[in-house]
Amino acid sequence: PIGRKMAMNAQKMQELAPEMKKIADKYKDNLEKRSAAQQELFKAHKYNPAAGCLMMPLQMPIFVGLYRGLSVDIGLRQAPFFEGMSWCSNLAGPDKFWHWEHVVPTFLGSPEGFLGPFLNVLPFITVLLFLVQQILFTPPPQDENQATQQTVMKFMMIFMGIMFHKVAAGLCIYMIASSLWGIAERKLLPKPKAVTTG
């Protein structure tokens, strides 16, 4: 339900995006009037821009608990994703897709290196799905600042993929399943309608 509420809020923002653009163009040099017009638009369409962000803290304990659970749960240690899948044979550790120690520089690929001796593919699939969600569902930017913020967010996602390279495979599988569910759920929501103001 929390994810659905966030999805509906984001979709509402997409519906209002053309009107937001008109307001931004009309009050380009008057920030105060632009803000007042945007507030009037939100009020007319019963939209709360903070509603999507307010839902995120409710999901954080689930993520933190899952991360912690995968770190200490003995039952997941050496438990494969699927029986006979050698590269993802430990849900409590990284997936170890490809041994690349002999191909990448020592400071990255050694056992003590930043990325370790294995290419772990599940964190990259996770980040790829995050990027797909961002591209599909982020409302178009209303000005240069928003366009810059969205570009920075894309680079941040790629940086996250590198930072989470050694995350437990079980957590990545959860995030992949959650992302696929989120994409499917958003696709099943009604298409955004053009919003016009009287």
Side-chain angles (χ1 to χ4, degrees), residues 95 120-128 161 164-167 172 176:
D95 58 83
N120 308 319
V121 75
L122 291 178
F124 292 109
I125 295 171
T126 304
V127 169
L128 180 66
F164 291 137
H165 188 254
K166 295 182 182 179
V167 162
C172 288
I176 289 166

Side-chain angles (χ1 to χ4, degrees), residues 19-87:
E19 287 301 314
M20 295 276 290
K21 181 81 167 78
K22 285 180 192 172
I23 290 169
D25 292 341
K26 186 176 179 180
Y27 301 111
K28 190 174 3 183
D29 301 319
N30 193 328
L31 193 61
E32 196 175 314
K33 283 189 176 178
R34 186 200 312 182
S35 181
Q38 285 175 347
Q39 291 303 319
E40 198 62 41
L41 178 71
F42 295 158
K43 192 175 174 184
H45 293 279
K46 297 181 175 80
Y47 171 72
N48 181 1
C53 299
L54 290 173
M55 298 292 174
M56 292 182 78
L58 296 174
Q59 293 179 307
M60 282 307 291
I62 297 168
F63 180 80
V64 171
L66 189 62
Y67 181 84
R68 182 71 183 149
L70 287 165
S71 302
V72 300
D73 190 349
I74 298 299
L76 292 173
R77 293 188 190 278
Q78 307 308 320
F81 181 40
F82 288 115
E83 209 58 51
M85 186 181 277
S86 59
W87 64 271

Side-chain angles (χ1 to χ4, degrees), residues 125-126 129-130 133 137 174-184:
I125 295 171
T126 304
L129 286 169
F130 286 165
Q133 282 182 300
F137 306 129
Y174 166 78
M175 298 301 283
I176 289 166
S178 179
S179 295
L180 291 171
W181 177 267
I183 291 168

